Amino acid sequence: MAVLEGKVAIITVAGGMRGVGRATALKLAGQGADIALTDVHREPDDLPPAEVRAGWRAIESVSEEVTALGSRCLPVYCDLGYSDQIQDMVSRVMEHYGRIDILVNNARAIVGRDKVPVTELPEEVWDHFLAINTTAVFLCTKMVGREMVRMGKGGRIINIASDAAKRANAMGAAYSASKFAVLGLTQASALDLAPYGINVNAVCPGPINTDRLSYWERARAEDQGVPLEEFRATIVEESGRATPLGRIAEPEDIADMISFLSSDQARFITGQAYNVNGGLLFH
Ligand SMILES: NC(=O)c1ccc[n+]([C@@H]2O[C@H](COP(=O)([O-])OP(=O)(O)OC[C@H]3O[C@@H](n4cnc5c(N)ncnc54)[C@H](O)[C@@H]3O)[C@@H](O)[C@H]2O)c1
């Protein structure tokens, strides 16, 4: 029997063609889990060029891939900035599957507008980062956690933080503060939910080779007169060279850790924050 047979996993913001969410959906589906995927309807201007070229249809496309692996899949559009939309999403998953065993909080605000010194950071950008990167993780934990407690079958909650949750970078006040908060939320939720057999852990990736859209990268590429993908490729190469293991992470490296934390092998692990960074940071 596949290790996650009979389990249902929600993965937030899994629509990116090369994102962590898609890699996780395919990994968990390959292990037998049924999947619910969320994403927000992204503006055409917010799509990575490779997704536009491929005619990528976000969670609809990932959903087809999951189904092809033999698992069921429910794509749900949900703006994680609104608690009523999160509640509707959780209710839809419960109506559809009747259970939730695994929650992967993978969401983040689109990066770039936050990349300024703290003295220049607009309050609305700060608020947006806290809303999507932190408050949405809290709300999903609260609403899904209640269902898990009610079902009485335990569960797994995995919060995708960042190495920026352990060491801040310049021009990263909003991102780092929002991700540091995720680790506090992970520890407190782990203690609150331990009596119900619900394990809560975090994963802290270093740089990942995704096609994520970054407003900052797009603006720098325009300034330098190079295509965005060329600019991004340079960043990926430089990050790889700066990493002890000699390459940047692939989304599958993160999905493997999420799969481990979802499995029975991680049954005695809770409240932890695991680095997946090729040796860039040790604590
Ligand atoms: N990519 C990296 O280098 C990196 C490094 C460390 C940590 N991480 C973390 O890994 C996780 C996944 O990163 P990624 O690079 O695969 O993601 P990404 O940046 O490619 O995707 C972000 C997703 O968030 C969605 N989103 C934006 N606003 C939203 C909203 N209001 N409601 C719902 N969805 C919204 C977007 O549609 C997009 O699909 C994130 O939590 C990120 O912080 C990524």
Side-chain angles (χ1 to χ4, degrees), residues 9-169:
I10 298 183
I11 303 159
T12 65
V13 300
M17 192 168 79
R18 288 189 47 195
V20 170
R22 175 192 176 206
T24 303
L26 299 182
K27 179 80 188 182
L28 301 190
Q31 294 176 321
D34 288 324
I35 307 288
L37 304 172
T38 84
D39 208 339
V40 72
H41 283 288
R42 282 174 294 173
E43 299 296 324
D45 210 32
D46 284 346
L47 295 173
E51 292 192 15
V52 176
R53 276 198 307 275
W56 186 252
R57 291 173 295 116
I59 47 177
E60 316 285 345
S61 294
V62 183
S63 191
E64 285 168 10
E65 295 181 305
V66 167
T67 311
L69 290 172
S71 289
R72 293 182 291 164
C73 194
L74 177 71
V76 186
Y77 282 95
C78 166
D79 188 329
L80 295 168
Y82 298 89
S83 62
D84 55 341
Q85 293 196 28
I86 296 176
Q87 183 59 71
D88 285 351
M89 179 273 288
V90 174
S91 302
R92 277 194 61 192
V93 177
M94 282 305 293
E95 276 161 29
H96 190 78
Y97 288 122
R99 61 188 293 158
I100 302 168
D101 303 280
I102 300 160
L103 166 66
V104 182
N105 281 311
N106 178 54
R108 74 148 155 209
I110 296 178
V111 287
R113 295 196 173 119
D114 60 311
K115 241 174 149 12
V116 291
V118 68
T119 43
E120 307 301 317
L121 185 63
E123 191 175 339
E124 63 271 17
V125 173
W126 167 270
D127 286 345
H128 183 63
F129 271 65
L130 270 289
I132 304 303
N133 296 4
T134 313
T135 305
V137 179
F138 151 63
L139 291 169
C140 290
T141 299
K142 175 178 176 172
M143 293 173 193
V144 171
R146 279 181 172 169
E147 297 297 343
M148 288 175 170
V149 167
R150 198 175 53 74
M151 287 187 306
K153 293 184 165 65
R156 298 294 163 86
I157 298 177
I158 298 149
N159 299 326
I160 311 308
S162 171
D163 56 358
K166 295 185 174 183
R167 181 177 63 193
N169 295 308

